[in-house]
């Protein structure tokens, strides 16, 4: 059967198993032969060869046609290599036939298990003159099922049966027959009891070659909405479709109920107005309304397909005149007459959402407020410690005023919180990628705000109020080198379970290769082909000479279908303009948010909010610091930097100063604390240090934050010192890199001043010099503060003194 050309369509292929990109010759398989004649032939359209064009730039020849089949047979030799005899090889040949409608296991990019799908259609390309090609290119379209382990990790969890799979609404992929491994069986009856949500169930099942799966629900993976579904009935209906629908694969799509359309409501209002103006009697008006809008059991779930069909039929029904004229009232009444209603084709039964999914859809339809307050976070460890402290107002105040405390409230950043949260939420709802660049001087609440945003997004996804996603945080100060960010992202995207299996043993180069392949797949987005939110904190530390790491992370979200949302946090607003090329700046220019330094009023509000937390649970607690003292500290800090941590530290030290006297700290106490901080021995010593001595101390601090330990190898400090020479020197400073001998002299000077301590002893002497360990002998926060004040913004950025 031949057909006229069909307009090419390009469906979205998101949220599907990631099929490894294949070359053109992979579709030529000599072990596979067709077992039937073509059932449907039409001119080749783009959708037929899309996978070849994307991977290899393949183009069809003139007059090429697509011939659809219904089955193929594959042969394979199962004889072991040791049995070389011809008779043995012939006796070990096995054949397996695959037909349209067969459920199969498919080889995907995942190394742990195979994916499950149903063969929707299969075809080959035929030239206009030579229709009998000895080596035809054979294509197979697969409609996917999904297992719970292939869904996003941050989502509304539900109990499932072992080996249960969900039928996707419209997720399909085109692949060669070699990707099909074997048959499997999909049942409507569960074989086991519901099991806990363990990722190992799927893996162990496939390892034992269990090929029986259970399906009772369909799923829209992007929104995590489930629909009532009967696999056997759907398969029978799809196989009964016409050859054209089978060829296109659309008969396997699941039609679902949708929310009512606003367009229809408005149309009904207009029709009612017309009838009222006509002056008809009330009885005829009631009949018109009843006929036009019949009552339905579920008023909030109206099939949109049926709505469109009824609207079209209503418009076209009635007498047709040769001369076009305005519809009269008589024709309007004829619309509602049952006798004039033409017979229409019965629409397929629409799949209804499950009760939980209906509730989720109602939640998502509610409009969020313009400004949203950050939700409380009552799981912080320091609040558990606060409950264990004695009911002493001074001790509790010193605890909450510590710079390491992370309270459950985030005052003075409600507007920035709402803006970034709304942006990321919209990207998740759209299923698209994007970049959010957050900048601001240290101590302005950037990281704390982003963490509150991620907490809220997780809560919403787990309650099915937004689309599910996967989350990973990459801190530039906690990875050994910028390229290690590739490994962290690939572990998350590939669905690797670090908690149970440990980190992937792959190089950064291999991880980059896999990530590029994954985000460039487009039409073959994988089991982990869902939305992924990446927080890149301390972006300043990921900038390299080639800028390849930053460029890749901000290039991937711009690829269609990547669904990668990158939130970058940096201490400087002009970082893209200062250290990045034009191509990287173009990636960061999408969405920007700048955190301004805190004002005096905002700093006062932050301090008072923490003091209020310390008083909770106490009966009539006294004030530990006067309001005037807090105001003076806020004015002093806001005039210099606006760093919230700085004013918290001053107030904490003031409370600590008056703690033995059991009175409230006054303005005089705050002034004394500020004077001591400015003239402390550590501050005086660091101000007298040479440039390279301060650079070495900064290098040691950088290594401590990156490694997470206090003892650092001397070789790592040397390497970091060389890097910082270029980053921390200004125009008037010498830019020559010191030699290893000169670095040794600098270290000896710091060791003699007891600012650093070097590993000593018999065992240490036997080690190579670069393996000897060094520790900081000064208060880390004090060194960071003084170096940031002395060196300026570039030093604060290098030290990661951000919030």
């Amino acid at each position: 059967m031949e057909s006229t050309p069909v307009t090419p369509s390009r469906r979205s292929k998101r949220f599907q198993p990631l099929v490894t990109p294949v070359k053109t010759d992979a579709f030529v398989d000599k072990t596979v032969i067709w077992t039937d004649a073509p059932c449907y032939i039409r001119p080749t359209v783009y959708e037929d060869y899309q996978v070849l064009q994307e991977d290899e730039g393949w183009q069809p020849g003139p007059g090429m046609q697509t011939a659809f089949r219904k089955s193929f047979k594959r042969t394979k030799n199962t004889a072991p290599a040791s049995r070389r005899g011809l008779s043995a090889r012939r006796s070990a040949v096995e054949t397996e036939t695959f037909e349209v409608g067969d459920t199969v296991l498919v080889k995907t990019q995942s190394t742990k298990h195979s994916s499950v799908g149903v063969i929707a259609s299969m075809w080959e390309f035929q030239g206009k003159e030579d229709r009998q090609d000895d080596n035809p290119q054979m294509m197979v379209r697969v409609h996917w099922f999904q297992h719970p382990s292939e869904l996003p990790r941050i989502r509304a969890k539900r109990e499932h049966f072992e080996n249960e799979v969900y039928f996707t609404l419209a997720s399909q992929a085109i692949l060669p027959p070699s990707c099909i491994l074997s048959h499997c069986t999909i049942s409507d009856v569960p074989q086991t009891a519901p099991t806990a949500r363990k990722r190992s169930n799927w893996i162990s099942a496939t390892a034992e070659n269990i090929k029986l799966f259970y399906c009772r629900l369909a799923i829209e993976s992007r929104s995590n909405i489930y629909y009532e579904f009967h696999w056997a009935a759907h398969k029978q209906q799809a196989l009964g479709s016409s050859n054209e629908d089978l060829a296109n694969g659309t008969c396997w799509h699941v039609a679902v109920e949708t929310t009512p359309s606003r367009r229809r409501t408005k149309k009904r209002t207009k029709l009612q107005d017309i009838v009222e103006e006509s002056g008809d009697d009330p009885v005829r008006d009631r009949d018109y309304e009843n006929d036009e809008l019949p009552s339905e059991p579920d008023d909030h779930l109206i099939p949109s397909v049926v709505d469109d069909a009824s609207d079209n039929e209503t418009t076209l029904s009635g007498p047709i005149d040769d001369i076009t004229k305005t519809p009269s009232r008589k024709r309007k009444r004829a619309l509602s007459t049952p006798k004039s209603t033409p017979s229409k084709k019965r629409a397929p039964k629409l799949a209804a959402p499950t009760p939980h999914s209906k509730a989720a859809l109602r939640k998502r339809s509610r409009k969020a407020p313009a400004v949203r307050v950050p939700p409380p976070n009552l799981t912080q460890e320091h609040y558990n410690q606060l409950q264990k402290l004695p009911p002493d107002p001074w001790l509790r105040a010193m605890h909450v005023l510590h710079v390491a405390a992370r309270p459950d409230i985030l005052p003075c950043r409600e507007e920035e919180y709402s803006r970034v949260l709304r942006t990321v939420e919209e990207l998740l709802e759209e299923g698209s990628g994007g970049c959010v660049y957050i900048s601001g001087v240290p101590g302005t609440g950037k990281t704390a705000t982003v963490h509150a945003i991620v907490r809220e997004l997780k809560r919403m996804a787990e309650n099915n109020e937004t689309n599910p996603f996967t989350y990973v945080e990459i801190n530039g100060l906690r990875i050994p080198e910028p390229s290690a960010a590739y490994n962290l992202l690939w572990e998350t995207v590939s669905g690797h379970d670090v908690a149970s299996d440990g980190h992937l043993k792959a190089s950064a180069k291999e991880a980059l290769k896999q990530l590029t392949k994954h985000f460039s797949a487009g039409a073959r987005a994988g089991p982990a082909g869902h939305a992924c939110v990446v927080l890149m904190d301390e972006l300043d530390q990921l900038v390299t000479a080639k800028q390849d790491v930053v460029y890749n992370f901000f290039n991937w979200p711009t690829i269609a279908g990547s669904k990668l949302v990158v939130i970058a946090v940096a201490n400087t607003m002009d970082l893209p303009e200062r250290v990045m090329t034009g191509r990287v700046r173009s990636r960061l220019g999408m969405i920007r948010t700048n955190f301004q330094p805190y004002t005096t009023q905002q700093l006062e509000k932050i301090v008072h909010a923490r003091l209020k937390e310390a008083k909770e649970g106490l009966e009539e607690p006294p004030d530990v610091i006067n309001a005037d003292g807090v105001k003076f500290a806020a004015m002093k800090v806001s005039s210099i930097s606006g760093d919230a941590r700085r004013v918290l530290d001053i107030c904490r030290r003031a409370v600590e100063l008056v703690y033995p006297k059991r009175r409230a700290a006054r303005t005089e106490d705050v002034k004394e604390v500020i004077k001591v901080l400015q003239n402390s021995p550590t501050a005086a010593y660091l101000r007298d240090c040479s440039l390279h001595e301060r650079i070495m101390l900064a290098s040691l601090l950088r290594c401590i934050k990156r490694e997470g330990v206090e003892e650092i190898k001397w070789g790592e400090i040397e390497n970091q010192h060389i890097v910082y020479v270029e980053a921390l020197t200004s125009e008037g400073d010498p830019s020559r890199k010191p030699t290893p001998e000169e670095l040794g002299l600098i270290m000896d000077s710091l060791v003699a001043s007891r600012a650093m301590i070097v590993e000593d002893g018999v065992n240490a002497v036997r080690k190579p010099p670069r393996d000897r360990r060094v520790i900081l002998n000064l208060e880390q926060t004090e060194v960071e503060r003084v170096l940031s004040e002395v060196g300026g913004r570039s030093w604060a950025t290098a030290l990661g003194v951000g919030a």
Side-chain angles (χ1 to χ4, degrees), residues 215-230:
C215 180
R216 58 173 174 168
L217 297 173
I219 186 174
E220 209 290 301
S221 305
R222 180 169 64 87
S223 59
N224 198 41
I225 299 298
Y226 298 86
Y227 297 88
E228 300 292 347
F229 181 72
H230 299 282

Side-chain angles (χ1 to χ4, degrees), residues 317-334:
S317 61
I320 302 175
D321 299 335
D322 296 333
I323 303 176
T324 305
K325 57 184 178 180
T326 304
S328 64
R329 185 173 56 197
K330 180 179 179 181
R331 295 177 65 196
K332 288 276 180 187
R333 288 194 296 270

Side-chain angles (χ1 to χ4, degrees), residues 317-570:
S317 61
I320 302 175
D321 299 335
D322 296 333
I323 303 176
T324 305
K325 57 184 178 180
T326 304
S328 64
R329 185 173 56 197
K330 180 179 179 181
R331 295 177 65 196
K332 288 276 180 187
R333 288 194 296 270
L335 296 178
S336 60
T337 305
K339 296 180 180 179
S340 63
T341 302
S343 59
K344 52 185 178 181
K345 184 180 179 180
R346 187 175 182 180
K349 184 178 180 181
L350 303 181
T354 61
H356 289 288
S357 295
K358 288 182 181 179
L361 292 173
R362 286 194 294 268
K363 288 181 183 178
R364 300 185 186 190
S365 63
R366 299 169 187 166
K367 185 177 181 180
V371 178
R372 297 154 75 173
V373 180
N377 178 27
L378 303 178
T379 60
Q380 295 288 345
E381 182 63 25
H382 71 278
Y383 279 115
N384 296 332
Q385 297 175 0
L386 182 62
Q387 301 301 325
K388 298 177 183 178
L389 291 176
D392 189 325
W394 285 267
L395 290 178
R396 295 168 67 91
M398 286 187 285
H399 176 81
V400 298
L401 290 175
H402 198 280
V403 295
R406 293 292 183 269
D408 63 335
I409 56 175
L410 194 65
C412 307
R413 289 303 180 198
E414 291 81 3
E415 184 178 349
E416 292 84 354
Y417 170 87
S418 300
R419 186 186 311 131
V420 177
L421 175 61
R422 183 169 58 252
T423 299
V424 178
E425 188 178 358
E426 289 176 355
L427 291 174
L428 291 178
E429 291 295 333
E430 294 171 0
S432 59
C435 308
V436 181
Y437 181 71
I438 299 175
S439 60
V441 297
T444 52
K446 300 183 299 297
T447 303
T449 302
V450 173
H451 283 163
I453 291 170
V454 172
R455 285 199 308 269
E456 175 65 6
L457 289 173
K458 287 182 178 179
R459 184 200 65 78
M460 294 174 63
E462 291 169 355
N463 293 332
N464 229 346
E465 297 175 14
T466 190
N467 288 347
F469 63 95
T470 301
Y471 171 72
V472 59
E473 180 176 350
I474 302 174
N475 192 309
L477 291 172
R478 298 179 182 176
I479 56 178
E481 56 184 0
S483 60
Y486 296 142
N487 299 76
L488 296 178
L489 181 59
W490 176 239
E491 287 177 349
T492 303
V493 168
S494 62
H496 180 73
D497 193 350
V498 179
S500 60
D501 302 333
H503 291 283
L504 284 174
K505 296 180 180 179
S507 63
K509 184 177 180 180
E510 178 64 23
L512 172 61
K513 179 181 177 181
Q514 297 296 334
L515 287 170
T516 303
K517 184 186 300 183
H518 174 81
F519 291 122
S520 302
R524 297 177 300 280
H530 39 69
C532 180
V533 178
V534 181
L535 169 58
M536 299 183 67
D537 201 2
E538 305 295 346
L539 178 66
D540 320 77
Q541 307 299 329
L542 297 178
V543 177
T544 60
K546 295 182 179 180
Q547 304 176 23
D548 51 346
V549 176
V550 175
Y551 174 74
N552 286 327
F553 269 87
F554 286 98
N555 177 59
W556 288 327
T558 64
I559 300 175
S562 66
K563 302 168 292 297
L564 180 65
V565 180
V566 175
I567 307 176
V569 180

Side-chain angles (χ1 to χ4, degrees), residues 635-652:
M635 293 175 59
K636 200 71 174 176
V637 174
S638 63
S639 63
I640 299 175
S641 62
D643 191 337
R645 294 160 313 132
R646 180 68 167 161
V647 71
L648 291 172
D649 187 47
I650 292 174
C651 293
R652 182 186 64 83

